[in-house]
PDB file of all heavy atoms in Angstrom:
ATOM      1  N   PHE Q  59       4.708  40.581  39.473  1.00 82.00           N
ATOM      2  CA  PHE Q  59       3.820  40.805  40.607  1.00 82.00           C
ATOM      3  C   PHE Q  59       3.811  39.607  41.563  1.00 82.00           C
ATOM      4  O   PHE Q  59       3.835  39.755  42.782  1.00 82.00           O
ATOM      5  CB  PHE Q  59       2.396  41.083  40.110  1.00 82.00           C
ATOM      6  CG  PHE Q  59       1.396  41.205  41.220  1.00 82.00           C
ATOM      7  CD1 PHE Q  59       1.292  42.367  41.969  1.00 82.00           C
ATOM      8  CD2 PHE Q  59       0.546  40.140  41.532  1.00 82.00           C
ATOM      9  CE1 PHE Q  59       0.373  42.477  42.990  1.00 82.00           C
ATOM     10  CE2 PHE Q  59      -0.372  40.237  42.551  1.00 82.00           C
ATOM     11  CZ  PHE Q  59      -0.470  41.419  43.295  1.00 82.00           C
ATOM     12  N   THR Q 191     -20.584  -5.399   6.980  1.00 51.00           N
ATOM     13  CA  THR Q 191     -19.273  -4.784   6.754  1.00 51.00           C
ATOM     14  C   THR Q 191     -18.293  -5.764   6.128  1.00 51.00           C
ATOM     15  O   THR Q 191     -17.091  -5.513   6.119  1.00 51.00           O
ATOM     16  CB  THR Q 191     -18.682  -4.267   8.079  1.00 51.00           C
ATOM     17  OG1 THR Q 191     -18.592  -5.348   9.008  1.00 51.00           O
ATOM     18  CG2 THR Q 191     -19.545  -3.157   8.650  1.00 51.00           C
ATOM     19  N   VAL Q 228       2.346  24.148  47.097  1.00 75.00           N
ATOM     20  CA  VAL Q 228       2.636  25.172  48.107  1.00 75.00           C
ATOM     21  C   VAL Q 228       3.275  26.374  47.426  1.00 75.00           C
ATOM     22  O   VAL Q 228       4.192  26.225  46.605  1.00 75.00           O
ATOM     23  CB  VAL Q 228       3.581  24.608  49.191  1.00 75.00           C
ATOM     24  CG1 VAL Q 228       3.929  25.684  50.213  1.00 75.00           C
ATOM     25  CG2 VAL Q 228       2.926  23.413  49.879  1.00 75.00           C
ATOM     26  N   GLY Q 263     -19.165  16.095  18.851  1.00 80.00           N
ATOM     27  CA  GLY Q 263     -19.701  14.998  18.058  1.00 80.00           C
ATOM     28  C   GLY Q 263     -21.076  15.303  17.496  1.00 80.00           C
ATOM     29  O   GLY Q 263     -21.366  15.021  16.329  1.00 80.00           O
ATOM     30  N   GLU Q 313     -14.951  14.196  -8.321  1.00 96.00           N
ATOM     31  CA  GLU Q 313     -15.656  15.468  -8.272  1.00 96.00           C
ATOM     32  C   GLU Q 313     -14.987  16.503  -9.160  1.00 96.00           C
ATOM     33  O   GLU Q 313     -13.821  16.383  -9.549  1.00 96.00           O
ATOM     34  CB  GLU Q 313     -15.757  15.970  -6.837  1.00 96.00           C
ATOM     35  CG  GLU Q 313     -14.442  16.100  -6.101  1.00 96.00           C
ATOM     36  CD  GLU Q 313     -14.656  16.647  -4.691  1.00 96.00           C
ATOM     37  OE1 GLU Q 313     -14.966  15.863  -3.769  1.00 96.00           O
ATOM     38  OE2 GLU Q 313     -14.521  17.872  -4.525  1.00 96.00           O
ATOM     39  N   SER Q 318      -8.909  22.003 -13.206  1.00 95.00           N
ATOM     40  CA  SER Q 318      -8.181  23.258 -13.009  1.00 95.00           C
ATOM     41  C   SER Q 318      -9.164  24.405 -12.795  1.00 95.00           C
ATOM     42  O   SER Q 318     -10.350  24.324 -13.146  1.00 95.00           O
ATOM     43  CB  SER Q 318      -7.287  23.539 -14.209  1.00 95.00           C
ATOM     44  OG  SER Q 318      -8.034  23.517 -15.416  1.00 95.00           O
ATOM     45  N   ASN Q 348     -21.237  27.192 -16.085  1.00 89.00           N
ATOM     46  CA  ASN Q 348     -20.191  26.509 -16.839  1.00 89.00           C
ATOM     47  C   ASN Q 348     -20.577  25.068 -17.119  1.00 89.00           C
ATOM     48  O   ASN Q 348     -21.523  24.538 -16.545  1.00 89.00           O
ATOM     49  CB  ASN Q 348     -18.878  26.549 -16.053  1.00 89.00           C
ATOM     50  CG  ASN Q 348     -18.434  27.962 -15.766  1.00 89.00           C
ATOM     51  OD1 ASN Q 348     -18.505  28.824 -16.634  1.00 89.00           O
ATOM     52  ND2 ASN Q 348     -17.982  28.206 -14.547  1.00 89.00           N
ATOM     53  N   THR Q 370     -30.872   4.619  -8.664  1.00 97.00           N
ATOM     54  CA  THR Q 370     -31.658   3.510  -9.218  1.00 97.00           C
ATOM     55  C   THR Q 370     -33.053   3.397  -8.596  1.00 97.00           C
ATOM     56  O   THR Q 370     -33.831   2.531  -9.003  1.00 97.00           O
ATOM     57  CB  THR Q 370     -30.920   2.174  -9.024  1.00 97.00           C
ATOM     58  OG1 THR Q 370     -30.575   2.012  -7.649  1.00 97.00           O
ATOM     59  CG2 THR Q 370     -29.655   2.126  -9.871  1.00 97.00           C
ATOM     60  N   GLU Q 403     -37.936  -6.416 -16.288  1.00 96.00           N
ATOM     61  CA  GLU Q 403     -39.241  -6.641 -16.915  1.00 96.00           C
ATOM     62  C   GLU Q 403     -39.191  -6.418 -18.425  1.00 96.00           C
ATOM     63  O   GLU Q 403     -39.992  -6.982 -19.172  1.00 96.00           O
ATOM     64  CB  GLU Q 403     -40.296  -5.719 -16.293  1.00 96.00           C
ATOM     65  CG  GLU Q 403     -40.832  -6.216 -14.962  1.00 96.00           C
ATOM     66  CD  GLU Q 403     -42.165  -5.573 -14.623  1.00 96.00           C
ATOM     67  OE1 GLU Q 403     -42.490  -4.522 -15.205  1.00 96.00           O
ATOM     68  OE2 GLU Q 403     -42.894  -6.133 -13.786  1.00 96.00           O
ATOM     69  N   ASP Q 415     -15.887  -6.451  -2.287  1.00 88.00           N
ATOM     70  CA  ASP Q 415     -16.882  -7.451  -1.923  1.00 88.00           C
ATOM     71  C   ASP Q 415     -18.251  -6.789  -1.921  1.00 88.00           C
ATOM     72  O   ASP Q 415     -18.487  -5.826  -1.191  1.00 88.00           O
ATOM     73  CB  ASP Q 415     -16.555  -8.006  -0.534  1.00 88.00           C
ATOM     74  CG  ASP Q 415     -17.411  -9.216  -0.161  1.00 88.00           C
ATOM     75  OD1 ASP Q 415     -18.556  -9.316  -0.649  1.00 88.00           O
ATOM     76  OD2 ASP Q 415     -16.934 -10.044   0.638  1.00 88.00           O
ATOM     77  N   PHE Q 418     -20.428  -5.805   1.228  1.00 76.00           N
ATOM     78  CA  PHE Q 418     -20.232  -4.596   2.020  1.00 76.00           C
ATOM     79  C   PHE Q 418     -21.407  -3.646   1.797  1.00 76.00           C
ATOM     80  O   PHE Q 418     -21.727  -3.278   0.681  1.00 76.00           O
ATOM     81  CB  PHE Q 418     -18.923  -3.897   1.636  1.00 76.00           C
ATOM     82  CG  PHE Q 418     -18.693  -2.615   2.380  1.00 76.00           C
ATOM     83  CD1 PHE Q 418     -18.454  -2.631   3.742  1.00 76.00           C
ATOM     84  CD2 PHE Q 418     -18.737  -1.395   1.737  1.00 76.00           C
ATOM     85  CE1 PHE Q 418     -18.249  -1.457   4.441  1.00 76.00           C
ATOM     86  CE2 PHE Q 418     -18.532  -0.218   2.420  1.00 76.00           C
ATOM     87  CZ  PHE Q 418     -18.291  -0.249   3.782  1.00 76.00           C
ATOM     88  N   GLY Q 492      -6.014   6.908  -2.039  1.00 91.00           N
ATOM     89  CA  GLY Q 492      -6.167   6.192  -3.287  1.00 91.00           C
ATOM     90  C   GLY Q 492      -5.145   5.082  -3.472  1.00 91.00           C
ATOM     91  O   GLY Q 492      -4.159   4.974  -2.743  1.00 91.00           O
ATOM     92  N   ILE Q 510      -5.838   9.967  -8.890  1.00 96.00           N
ATOM     93  CA  ILE Q 510      -6.953  10.560  -9.643  1.00 96.00           C
ATOM     94  C   ILE Q 510      -6.600  10.659 -11.125  1.00 96.00           C
ATOM     95  O   ILE Q 510      -7.392  10.284 -12.004  1.00 96.00           O
ATOM     96  CB  ILE Q 510      -7.295  11.952  -9.080  1.00 96.00           C
ATOM     97  CG1 ILE Q 510      -7.874  11.828  -7.668  1.00 96.00           C
ATOM     98  CG2 ILE Q 510      -8.272  12.687  -9.991  1.00 96.00           C
ATOM     99  CD1 ILE Q 510      -7.914  13.145  -6.907  1.00 96.00           C
ATOM    100  N   ARG Q 522     -13.070   4.637 -24.695  1.00 98.00           N
ATOM    101  CA  ARG Q 522     -12.626   4.584 -26.095  1.00 98.00           C
ATOM    102  C   ARG Q 522     -12.735   3.154 -26.635  1.00 98.00           C
ATOM    103  O   ARG Q 522     -13.079   2.952 -27.815  1.00 98.00           O
ATOM    104  CB  ARG Q 522     -11.185   5.082 -26.211  1.00 98.00           C
ATOM    105  CG  ARG Q 522     -10.991   6.554 -25.858  1.00 98.00           C
ATOM    106  CD  ARG Q 522     -11.855   7.469 -26.687  1.00 98.00           C
ATOM    107  NE  ARG Q 522     -11.568   8.875 -26.433  1.00 98.00           N
ATOM    108  CZ  ARG Q 522     -12.404   9.867 -26.698  1.00 98.00           C
ATOM    109  NH1 ARG Q 522     -13.599   9.594 -27.228  1.00 98.00           N
ATOM    110  NH2 ARG Q 522     -12.080  11.117 -26.452  1.00 98.00           N
ATOM    111  N   ASN Q 575     -30.283  16.482 -28.295  1.00 90.00           N
ATOM    112  CA  ASN Q 575     -30.148  17.885 -28.689  1.00 90.00           C
ATOM    113  C   ASN Q 575     -31.067  18.801 -27.885  1.00 90.00           C
ATOM    114  O   ASN Q 575     -31.678  19.717 -28.426  1.00 90.00           O
ATOM    115  CB  ASN Q 575     -30.454  18.034 -30.189  1.00 90.00           C
ATOM    116  CG  ASN Q 575     -29.478  17.255 -31.047  1.00 90.00           C
ATOM    117  OD1 ASN Q 575     -28.269  17.407 -30.922  1.00 90.00           O
ATOM    118  ND2 ASN Q 575     -30.011  16.410 -31.923  1.00 90.00           N
ATOM    119  N   TYR Q 641     -42.187   6.237   3.047  1.00 90.00           N
ATOM    120  CA  TYR Q 641     -40.894   5.572   3.094  1.00 90.00           C
ATOM    121  C   TYR Q 641     -40.890   4.435   4.119  1.00 90.00           C
ATOM    122  O   TYR Q 641     -40.459   3.315   3.838  1.00 90.00           O
ATOM    123  CB  TYR Q 641     -39.802   6.591   3.434  1.00 90.00           C
ATOM    124  CG  TYR Q 641     -38.413   6.170   2.986  1.00 90.00           C
ATOM    125  CD1 TYR Q 641     -37.887   6.619   1.775  1.00 90.00           C
ATOM    126  CD2 TYR Q 641     -37.634   5.324   3.758  1.00 90.00           C
ATOM    127  CE1 TYR Q 641     -36.623   6.249   1.351  1.00 90.00           C
ATOM    128  CE2 TYR Q 641     -36.366   4.936   3.348  1.00 90.00           C
ATOM    129  CZ  TYR Q 641     -35.858   5.397   2.142  1.00 90.00           C
ATOM    130  OH  TYR Q 641     -34.603   5.016   1.729  1.00 90.00           O
TER     131      TYR Q 641
END
Side-chain angles (χ1 to χ4, degrees):
F59 175 78
T191 57
V228 178
E313 55 178 84
S318 54
N348 301 317
T370 53
E403 280 200 341
D415 189 331
F418 178 67
I510 293 166
R522 295 303 186 201
N575 298 307
Y641 203 96

